[in-house]
Amino acid sequence: MKQENEIISTKKYKALIIDDSEMNREILKGILSDEMDIVEIDNGEDACDYMMNHASELNIVILDLVMPGMNGFEVLKFMKYKHMMESLPVIMISADNDEHNIERAFDLGVIDFVFRPFSERIVLRRVLTTINLFKRQRDLIATIDTQYKVDDGRTDDLTGLDYKQTFFNKVYTHLKSNPNDRLLMIAIDIDHFKLFNNYYGWERGDRYLKKIARLMREFIQMNGGMAGYLGGDDFALLCPNKREELRKFYGRVIKSGQLAEYQVGFSPKIGIYEIDDNMESVGSIYDHAVIALDDTKGDYTKNVSWYNKSMYQDVKDEYELLVDVQRGIRDGEFTFFIQPKVNMLDGRIVGGEALVRWIHKDKGMVSPGVFIPALEQNGFISNIDQIVWDNVAAWQKDWIESGHEALPISVNVSRADIFTMDVTGFFLGLIEKYDLPKHLLEIEITESAYVEEDTKVSSEIGKLRDAGFKVLMDDFGSGYSSLNSLKDMEIDVLKIDMKFLKMDFSNLNKGVSILESIVNMARAMQIPTIVEGVEEQEQVNYLTGMGCNYAQGFFFYRPMPREEFAKLVENEDNVDHEGIHISRLDPVHVREFLDENLYSDVVVNNILGPTAFYEVEDDEICLVRMNEQYCKLTGLAYHPEQIAEQDAKGENYIITLEGVHPDDRGTFRKLIEDAYDDPLNGASAHIRFRVKSGDYKDYRMRLFFLRNRHNTRIYYASIMSTEDF
């Protein structure tokens, strides 16, 4: 922690600069030191500790967005939770004009931004202007609050509604005087309102606020209740529990934010609390409405939320979880497991993926599904990610120094990491710190992160690859990328989600087709593929037949402690150091048989052998297509020419169950059903069919269900005479 000595000063203002870059702090100090005293701190944790004791002495905070450990967003959340931002303005430092970061920072209460490289005149003017405007605003609010305490009947000049304490005093009086009334407390605010003012100006913002206030006044005039304006874009409403009238009201309020003059993203959000005890404190009642309001944030499809008890518990649990996570970080409870990646052809390990694990001092192993979503939602995931990245690099270094040849280990990079830190710079720092070859640290980025903000993510992927790191796109197929988007993705390896082969039966063929299309397109662009989530031998058979050689999944290995992984790869027979690459010997594809320039019908028929297509409806089995080999083997009376002639007449060669040996009819019906139940692998059985002579002949039949057509099932069949065995 770098902090200047406290000295007696005659300067008017005092600023806190929070930035891990000493150069940036020195530049800002040089710009501002003539006008104000400067306190410098190089990390978020120490800055929060300092503000807890000295916030009242400060006039402004100048905060860097990207810092190791506690980043700028997390400092803002801390300040907001401790109510510091009500009296202390914040200016954010950023290296780029990224709209996502700007919007998020404004939502957390930032007043302004300054961008690097710093312009001396602009920085000084913005800092002084922010201090003066914020001071005038606070003085005005203090004056209004004082006036309202003297005269509870006075209303806000802009909205015409009761202001803050006046509103809450009236609510308190009404609740205590009417303990049996069934009432609602409603909290309303406007999504990204600070950004709205930035885009459209304060005058348009005031018009927006007045419009919502007018709708609130009209509602209470018709239905009773009281409305309050709490400052900024916050409103509150106490009203009778009239559900239908309330729906009409919030429908009009939401519509007010969807007019053509406003863009999507500035919609009013509404939280509703049904008061079950009128003796409850007014503060607690309003807090419940705000908790319901928070449930709508970040969801553009949700504008209204009713409070339920689980919401409070969720908020409480999440807060306690975040506190526990920070303690766990300090106590070194976060580690990583490794899930091996294997070559399915021989089962040898080609690398691994590092997966975060939390071994809690009291609870033992905490599932990632419990803590990861909360960390992602609160922007704290980067702290955990950086711990994992560093631990993986350190472990790789130790493994090499112990005399072993290391395998590449991939680590996960989230969208939050890309938007809050210099990812490439961090990994280059790890390579230098542990003196590692770059190929031993691979980077996995999810498809959803790429799709949601492709420009920013694409830029970071480009920097990582230019720096010499291999980038894998994770979970392809779980998001929204089109096959066509593959050609625009600058990646080294494609990881495919196994969900395509976990669809219900009605969609299975579609899933298989999509999976084949992805694999074929990736192969055409020379991008190696690895399939994750492989759990069954049948999946392995299908994937290897398609040309996918690499996989992760429980069928091979579950995620394991690093010590267990080390024992596994100590045996060189278990390891393939060639890594993941495009096969030098591609499998034969069915479509190659369809290339008329490559094969003749005679060649194809000889390769496929006796084959036919059947239609099955109830007990009627129709042989609708067969090749010449099928006719010759079965000795059927119909030759291909005769079949074609009958087909032209709309007739089919019909085989009923009477054409199957009586002892095999149950087997035949089961064969049809088994093939239907397992379209990937089909089914096979010995069946005796009656042939031209009237005798029965034994065949080995393999049947594959292809698709449904109306009430009919289409099957592909291949047969072999048992005399050939």
Side-chain angles (χ1 to χ4, degrees), residues 271-289:
I272 306 172
Y273 172 55
E274 186 173 2
I275 302 172
D276 55 12
D277 180 4
N278 289 8
M279 295 298 105
E280 187 178 358
S281 72
V282 176
S284 176
I285 288 171
Y286 178 69
D287 285 345
H288 284 93

Side-chain angles (χ1 to χ4, degrees), residues 437-456:
K438 291 175 183 175
H439 76 275
L440 293 181
L441 274 183
E442 297 181 342
I443 317 299
E444 294 198 17
I445 300 176
T446 62
E447 174 209 8
S448 57
Y450 190 101
V451 173
E452 288 174 11
E453 202 63 56
D454 60 308
T455 302
K456 179 72 172 176

Side-chain angles (χ1 to χ4, degrees), residues 657-662 664-665 688-691 693-699:
L657 286 178
E658 292 180 359
V660 178
H661 193 284
D664 293 344
R665 290 172 187 173
R688 286 171 286 181
F689 287 105
R690 187 168 56 233
V691 295
S693 65
D695 297 328
Y696 289 98
K697 188 173 182 178
D698 189 18
Y699 298 97

Side-chain angles (χ1 to χ4, degrees), residues 340-344 529-532 534 543 549-553 556:
K341 302 172 184 177
V342 303
N343 186 328
M344 289 187 284
T529 56
I530 179 170
V531 181
E532 50 189 343
V534 177
L543 291 167
N549 293 342
Y550 305 102
Q552 266 178 277
F556 298 101

Side-chain angles (χ1 to χ4, degrees), residues 5 21 49 117 146 187 199 213 221 231 236 348 366 397 450 473 502 544 547 600 635 673 711:
N5 294 329
S21 168
D49 289 342
T146 301
Y199 282 170
Q221 286 168 5
R348 291 163 62 186
V366 180
K397 177 66 173 178
Y450 190 101
M473 176 158 289
K502 291 184 179 178
T544 53
S600 67
E673 294 304 319
N711 296 322

Side-chain angles (χ1 to χ4, degrees), residues 55-118:
S56 61
E57 303 167 12
L58 298 170
N59 298 101
I60 195 165
V61 172
I62 303 170
L63 174 63
D64 187 24
L65 173 62
V66 179
M67 294 185 292
M70 196 173 188
N71 63 39
F73 288 136
E74 290 153 5
V75 172
L76 289 174
K77 288 183 178 181
F78 174 85
M79 294 178 69
K80 193 168 186 177
Y81 175 73
K82 294 296 183 180
H83 304 290
M84 294 179 182
M85 303 183 79
E86 296 174 3
S87 57
L88 186 57
V90 179
I91 289 180
M92 206 82 171
I93 303 170
S94 180
D96 56 53
N97 193 11
D98 186 277
E99 289 188 3
H100 174 83
N101 285 340
I102 293 174
E103 180 178 329
R104 186 179 176 194
F106 275 134
D107 284 345
L108 289 171
V110 164
I111 302 297
D112 204 352
F113 267 78
V114 292
F115 299 100
R116 296 192 295 266
F118 300 122

Side-chain angles (χ1 to χ4, degrees), residues 38 54 76 90 120 236 244 462 566 679:
I38 305 296
H54 302 282
L76 289 174
V90 179
E120 181 173 347
E244 186 58 37

